[in-house]
């Protein structure tokens, strides 16, 4: 199995995640899409690490995973706060910044 | 020898120091009378110094570089003391001192704050006027020339909350400025052809015929225009009567004795140059004589006592200018000095009367001779001097002018001036009879002014008599123009007949004033309307200045503002359009991010390699 | 070799299928479960890439931690709103076009890149090596990560506190 197979797989997962982020109405759904995209990034990092023999990729993906966990915790907390205030988690209606 | 320089500088510096002190130390200025005392002390010191300069009779020049340039300084400042400026120094400091003392009581109802301002202006004026007469160069003279104009503006508008005073101040400023434009253009043109502003150098060049004759007439005419504005010559005399809106002491100092004579002083000072341009001299003399007659005729129909004196001043300035224009500058200058003394006396006397009765209208005064005997006496002394009755000061100076005119062979001008002398005696005694004799109209109990006001009046009256006696005993100082023997009796007859006419009309009632008015209907009609000049200037002002500013205003409103409005409208519309991009939905922004990523990718793909 | 190929194919298919399910399913709760499946299959990929340590981290943190938090969040919001949250999508065509464009762009890079073969042997004692790297050259980022986690913890507590 060559590097290309892993990178292609990762690109596919990334595109699927991007699609989810762009189309989901629910804020939690958007967060799920982001998780997918970050996951694709991790696949890339680990694959490069494996194929170049550099340990840095592994350490980086380790950091990515940890940061993702923090991001998810915070993101969901924000979603809950928004839900309390606006009584909705639909991203369409969260347009206070509209010009 | 150092004192030769330092004494005039001290005279110049004391009023300036006083002005600086009052200008930059507001608490001092707000004391009012305290400020007055400081200013008076300064001008008294200056007066003593000026007396020293004058009596020593020395002549000195000092210069300091002002604008250095390659090949010698382009401009210098300094002082030039000669008999001419020394005499002016004495006159200016004397009248300034007396007027400032007089003002302490005259304006004693003023708020302290305003009084401090008044004295600060006075100190500045004294400094400026002294600087003007001490100037050794045209450039320095012009600077002080403008400074006295500024002081005149400030003091005419002293009661700036009165619309009439504010208007008069602006009018005086504008009208004199009209002449000043000519003045500055003239001195620059003169500098262009000769390369110097310096009087001494210029006079030396004039003696040796080194000044190019080409264009000199125009140059000197332009310089003369400055004198026309400042000395209220026709056709720029209209500001002076209006300037009477200022406090009376100001009128006495600035608009009778000192500033308005600056034009005469200029022509006298630059006499060697003017002699090179006979045409300009002719104009100066003709305009002077015409002004004298015109102003005298207007004084005959005026009812405001201060305006009578103002027209009289214009008329006497015309006298001086005529003399200066006929190469009898010494006689003109002599008249300037004597006139300065007795016209200040008349103004201060009028001020005492106005102070007592609270009106300017002569027809509402009357019989004041009994109530204010001292004022009446000094006023009559001044009037006799102005009318030219011997042995008072005015007689000799006026006779000197008439002699000079006669010697020069200008018969027409002589006739005009003689007629003016007759009218002068008439209108002055008209004022005297209306104010001090006849039936009393004034309400209340008018009485002589307090001693601070009376003192200056008496000093000036005594001076008027003393100068006259000095010449009556010592003979004429001016030997260049020996008077023909019949001239003295002739002038006395003129003066007395004018007085007699006034007596017949306003005291005796033998001639009805209205009947005379009817007999001279056209002149009376025109004189009462000031020969339409004010209306003409008002119309021109409106037509040109207001029309022009209206045009500018239109361009500003519709053209300049239009461009800005279009620009701002476009900006607004553009912003409104761009606003719609901001939907506020995070996902829409994400499309932007995705497009950005694509752009970077495409760029890498095709261009980066 | 054949085992690895087959394993990759299976795991890849599961990963792609569950990822699609995450973004397409209507039921939010199901989406989270599909995400868990996707994360687990990613862990499988890590195993195929000879990274057992990351395999463990992925299972523990992602499949264990993240999925649990998300499930909590969904249940919390559904309890608050009192009804099951429908998971609808919008602008599907636009999203698909943009996502496809990004995909094409990335694939475009890939086809140009030279093929690489893995080194003969994987890093021995991988866990030990990672541990040494974390306290060695990556010590400062590790400390910063700790700081970030504390900040995130405080932030989450602040947001989620009871309203007063």
């Amino acid at each position: 199995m060559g590097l290309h197979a892993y990178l292609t797989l990762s690109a596919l997962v990334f595109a699927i995640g991007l699609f989810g982020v762009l189309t989901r109405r629910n804020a939690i759904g958007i967060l799920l899409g982001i998780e997918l995209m970050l996951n694709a990034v991790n696949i890339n990092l680990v694959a490069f690490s494996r194929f170049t023999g550099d340990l840095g990729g592994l350490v980086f993906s380790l950091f990515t995973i940890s940061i993702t966990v923090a991001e998810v915790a915070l993101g969901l907390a924000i979603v809950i706060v928004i839900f309390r205030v606006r009584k909705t988690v639909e991203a369409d209606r969260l347009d206070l910044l509209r010009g | 020898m150092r004192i030769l320089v330092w004494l005039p500088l001290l005279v110049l510096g004391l009023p300036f120091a006083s002005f600086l002190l009052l200008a930059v130390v507001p608490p001092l200025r707000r004391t009012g009378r305290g400020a007055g005392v400081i200013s008076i002390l300064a001008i008294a010191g200056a007066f003593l110094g000026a007396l020293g300069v004058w009596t020593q009779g020395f002549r000195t020049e000092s210069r300091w570089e002002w604008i250095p340039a390659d090949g010698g300084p382009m401009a210098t400042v300094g002082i030039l003391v000669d008999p001419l400026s020394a005499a002016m120094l004495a006159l200016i400091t004397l009248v300034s001192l007396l007027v400032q003392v007089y003002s302490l009581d005259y304006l004693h109802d003023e708020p302290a704050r305003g009084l401090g301002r008044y004295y600060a202006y006075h100190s500045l004026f004294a400094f400026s006027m002294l600087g003007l007469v001490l100037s050794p160069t045209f450039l320095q003279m012009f600077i002080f020339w403008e400074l006295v104009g500024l002081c005149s503006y400030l003091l005419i508008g002293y009661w700036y909350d009165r619309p009439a005073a504010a208007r008069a101040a602006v009018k005086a400023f504008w009208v004199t400025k009209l002449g000043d434009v000519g003045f500055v253009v003239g001195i620059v043109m003169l500098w262009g052809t000769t390369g110097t502003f310096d009087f001494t150098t210029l006079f030396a060049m004039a003696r040796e015929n080194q000044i190019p004759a080409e264009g000199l007439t125009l140059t000197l005419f332009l310089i003369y225009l400055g004198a026309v504005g400042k000395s209220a010559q026709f056709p720029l005399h209209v500001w002076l009567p209006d300037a009477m809106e200022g406090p009376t002491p100001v009128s006495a100092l600035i608009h009778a004795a000192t500033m308005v004579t600056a034009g005469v002083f200029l022509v006298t000072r630059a006499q060697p140059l003017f002699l090179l341009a006979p045409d300009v001299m002719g104009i100066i003399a003709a305009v002077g004589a015409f002004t004298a007659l015109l102003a005298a005729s207007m004084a005959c129909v005026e009812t405001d006592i201060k305006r009578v004196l103002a027209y009289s001043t214009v008329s006497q300035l015309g006298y001086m200018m005529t003399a200066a224009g006929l190469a009898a500058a010494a006689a003109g200058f002599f008249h300037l000095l004597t006139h300065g003394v007795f016209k200040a006396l008349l103004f201060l006397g009028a001020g005492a009367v106005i102070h007592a009765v609270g009106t300017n209208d002569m027809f509402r005064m009357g019989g004041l001779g009994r109530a204010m005997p001292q004022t009446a006496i000094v006023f009559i002394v001044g009037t006799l001097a102005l009318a030219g009755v011997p042995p008072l000061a005015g007689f000799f100076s006026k006779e000197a002018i008439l002699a000079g005119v006669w010697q020069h062979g200008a018969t027409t001008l002589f006739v005009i001036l003689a007629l003016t002398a007759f009218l002068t005696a008439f209108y002055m005694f008209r004022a005297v009879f209306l104010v001090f004799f006849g039936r009393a109209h004034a309400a209340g109990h008018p009485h002589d002014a307090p001693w601070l006001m009376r003192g200056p009046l008496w000093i000036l009256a005594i001076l008027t008599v003393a100068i006259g006696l000095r010449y009556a005993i010592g003979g004429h100082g001016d030997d260049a123009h020996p008077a023909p023997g019949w001239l003295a009796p002739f002038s006395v007859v003129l003066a007395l007949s004018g007085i007699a006419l006034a007596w017949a009309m306003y005291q005796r009632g033998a001639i009805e004033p209205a009947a005379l008015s009817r007999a001279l209907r056209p002149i009376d009609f025109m004189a009462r309307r000031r020969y339409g000049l004010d209306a003409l200037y008002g119309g021109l002002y409106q037509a040109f200045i207001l029309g022009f500013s209206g045009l500018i205003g239109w361009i500003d409103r519709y053209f300049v503002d239009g461009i800005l409005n279009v620009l701002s409208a476009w900006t607004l519309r553009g912003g409104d359009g761009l606003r719609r991009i901001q939907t506020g939905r995070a996902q829409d922004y994400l499309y932007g991010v995705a497009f950005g990523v694509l752009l970077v990718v495409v760029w890498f793909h095709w261009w980066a390699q | 070799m054949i085992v690895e190929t087959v394993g990759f194919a299976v795991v890849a298919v599961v990963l792609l299928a569950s990822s699609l399910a995450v973004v397409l399913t209507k039921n939010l709760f199901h989406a989270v479960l599909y995400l868990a499946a996707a994360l687990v299959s990613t862990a499988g990929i890590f195993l195929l890439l000879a990274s057992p340590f990351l395999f463990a981290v992925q299972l523990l943190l992602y499949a264990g931690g993240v999925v649990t938090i998300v499930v909590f969040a969904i249940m919390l919001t559904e309890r608050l709103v009192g009804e099951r949250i429908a998971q609808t999508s919008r602008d599907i065509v636009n999203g698909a076009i943009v996502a496809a464009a990004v995909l094409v762009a990335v694939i475009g890079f890939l086809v140009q890149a030279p093929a690489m073969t893995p080194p003969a042997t994987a890093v021995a004692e991988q866990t030990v090596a990672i541990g040494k790297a974390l306290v060695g050259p990556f010590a400062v980022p590790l400390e910063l990560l700790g700081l970030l986690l504390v900040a995130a913890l405080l932030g989450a507590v602040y947001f989620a506190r009871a309203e007063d």
Side-chain angles (χ1 to χ4, degrees), chain A residues 21 24 30 94-95 98-99, chain B residues 579 582-585 587 590:
Chain A
V21 172
R24 282 307 199 192
I30 293 173
L94 304 175
D95 57 357
R98 188 177 62 200
Chain B
R579 189 171 66 95
Q582 298 285 327
T583 58
R585 288 191 302 220
Q587 283 157 310
L590 220 72

Side-chain angles (χ1 to χ4, degrees), chain B residues 193-267:
Chain B
T193 52
T194 63
T196 179
F197 292 117
D198 197 275
F199 288 131
T200 315
T201 319
L202 282 170
F203 296 163
M205 289 172 82
R207 265 197 307 278
E208 291 155 21
N209 274 328
Q210 286 177 341
I211 298 181
E214 195 181 345
L216 189 63
T217 303
L218 176 65
T219 305
L220 288 174
F221 179 72
L222 288 173
I223 292 178
Y224 164 65
L225 275 187
V228 170
K230 204 59 113 192
S231 285
Q233 296 292 291
F234 176 84
L236 299 183
H237 62 271
V238 291
W239 66 270
L240 189 55
D242 283 5
M244 296 302 126
E245 291 294 340
T248 308
V250 170
S251 308
L253 174 62
I254 299 184
H255 305 120
T258 54
M259 187 193 81
V260 289
T261 62
V264 182
F265 176 79
L266 169 67
V267 177

Side-chain angles (χ1 to χ4, degrees), chain B residues 109-134:
Chain B
D109 289 337
E110 284 293 310
R113 188 178 282 258
L115 200 60
R117 185 164 55 87
Y118 176 82
Y119 276 103
Y121 292 163
H122 256 304
S123 289
L124 179 62
F125 172 77
F127 162 70
S128 315
M129 194 66 207
L130 294 170
L132 193 158
V133 299
L134 285 173

Side-chain angles (χ1 to χ4, degrees), chain B residues 157-179:
Chain B
Y158 172 66
W159 287 307
Y160 54 81
D161 46 358
R162 294 184 188 170
R167 285 174 66 98
V170 172
K171 182 173 178 180
F173 199 71
W174 273 114
V175 174
T176 52
K177 209 53 64 200
L178 210 60

